[in-house]
Amino acid sequence: MLISMTGFGRSEVASQAEDGGNLSVVVEARSINSRFIEISVRLPRTMNERELEVRELVRKNVERGKVSISVNFVRQGTENIPLTINEPVAKAYFNLLDKLRTITGLTGEIQVRDLTSFNEIFQTDGASSDVAKEEWKITQTAIQAALDSLTVMRKQEGKELERDLRMRLTSIQKSVDAVEEFAKSGSADEFKKLKDRVVELTNDVNVINNERLEFEIAMLAERLDITEELVRFRSHIKFFLEAVDEPESAGRKLNFILQEMNREANTIGSKTNLANVAHHVVSVKQELEKIREQVQNIE
């Protein structure tokens, strides 16, 4: 099963605090494609100590992609917030502002809003406080719900990608079959053309060793044979479809198989002089490029 790396999930979990107030935790989870797992987290100030735990929660749900988690608190009617004032720091900033006012000759009073711009004045109660524990419990539930919603969307997107990939592989398979038929019917003609060309270049058929000529042309024709490349190409298609059906993430494996398929297509194109074959090889390479673009979005 394919899972896309692109998705969005949102959740909101509400809870009533002991003082009768309400706390709503709103979580949004977004993901886009990336070669590895990249996680960015934005938390309320009271949750800063939990960032590593949030990252670990994301890693349990997402294997690859650039994921951003945004957590917001909406408080109503509650007085219990796991924040305290760092009094020594607050006084130190006040004294600094007062000194700055004296130095600059300003006469305005120092306002509370002047002090609240310094983050160090407020500090969390710590993850061990009862209020902090309760908020983290609610936040975990909300984050998991958002990640579940994200996963649902990524799987739905993966199904659409799989449908498109199978359609394109069917088209590629038809082109490969056509290449094989053209190659079979054209091999005898290629052999005759090579022989006629050699005779023409010598200008004297009497000096040619016919047995040696037949051998050299046969060897040259064999080097132009694309049977092995076609066999390997079909094998790659088989492995690609098997990887699509595997339960684990297949993005990296599919990308590797595509590279091998493209290599075989290039070899086939360089070994044949048939216009019909060249036309189908171009078509195959175009489809492979479209598949490659789609595979970049698969986990």
Side-chain angles (χ1 to χ4, degrees), residues 188-210:
D189 292 336
E190 285 296 308
F191 183 88
K192 185 177 184 302
K193 288 180 182 179
L194 285 170
K195 185 175 180 179
D196 292 344
R197 181 60 175 159
V198 171
V199 172
E200 179 184 344
L201 291 173
T202 60
N203 293 320
D204 188 357
V205 72
N206 295 321
V207 301
I208 298 176
N209 185 321
N210 287 328

Side-chain angles (χ1 to χ4, degrees), residues 40-132:
S40 62
V41 179
R42 186 166 65 85
L43 297 171
R45 184 180 298 176
T46 57
M47 279 283 149
N48 285 340
E49 296 182 18
R50 300 289 188 177
E51 181 174 344
L52 291 179
E53 293 172 85
V54 174
R55 289 178 177 274
E56 185 60 29
L57 193 57
V58 173
R59 290 181 185 278
K60 290 180 180 179
N61 290 267
V62 179
E63 291 188 28
R64 196 159 70 104
K66 187 174 183 179
V67 185
S68 61
I69 301 293
S70 174
V71 180
N72 291 293
F73 286 172
V74 179
R75 304 179 191 275
Q76 294 179 336
T78 181
E79 298 179 357
N80 293 327
I81 299 177
L83 282 176
T84 58
I85 297 175
N86 190 325
E87 294 184 19
V89 173
K91 291 177 180 179
Y93 276 120
F94 179 87
N95 292 333
L96 283 172
L97 290 175
D98 188 51
K99 185 176 181 179
L100 177 63
R101 185 180 61 172
T102 301
I103 294 172
T104 58
L106 296 174
T107 58
E109 295 292 329
I110 299 174
Q111 304 292 325
V112 173
R113 65 173 178 268
D114 299 324
L115 293 172
T116 55
S117 61
F118 301 102
N119 293 331
E120 296 90 338
I121 289 178
F122 297 99
Q123 61 185 16
T124 62
D125 284 347
S128 60
S129 70
D130 292 339
V131 175

Side-chain angles (χ1 to χ4, degrees), residues 164-230:
D164 181 75
L165 293 180
R166 290 184 182 277
M167 178 187 69
R168 296 189 184 283
L169 282 174
T170 299
S171 175
I172 288 175
Q173 183 65 65
K174 291 179 180 178
S175 293
V176 171
D177 292 340
V179 166
E180 185 174 41
E181 289 302 315
F182 284 126
K184 286 180 179 178
S185 61
S187 59
D189 292 336
E190 285 296 308
F191 183 88
K192 185 177 184 302
K193 288 180 182 179
L194 285 170
K195 185 175 180 179
D196 292 344
R197 181 60 175 159
V198 171
V199 172
E200 179 184 344
L201 291 173
T202 60
N203 293 320
D204 188 357
V205 72
N206 295 321
V207 301
I208 298 176
N209 185 321
N210 287 328
E211 184 176 340
R212 181 64 180 178
L213 175 63
E214 294 285 343
F215 176 76
E216 292 295 339
I217 296 178
M219 291 295 293
L220 181 58
E222 184 178 347
R223 286 196 293 272
L224 297 177
D225 183 67
I226 58 174
T227 301
E228 291 184 11
E229 286 75 17
L230 292 174

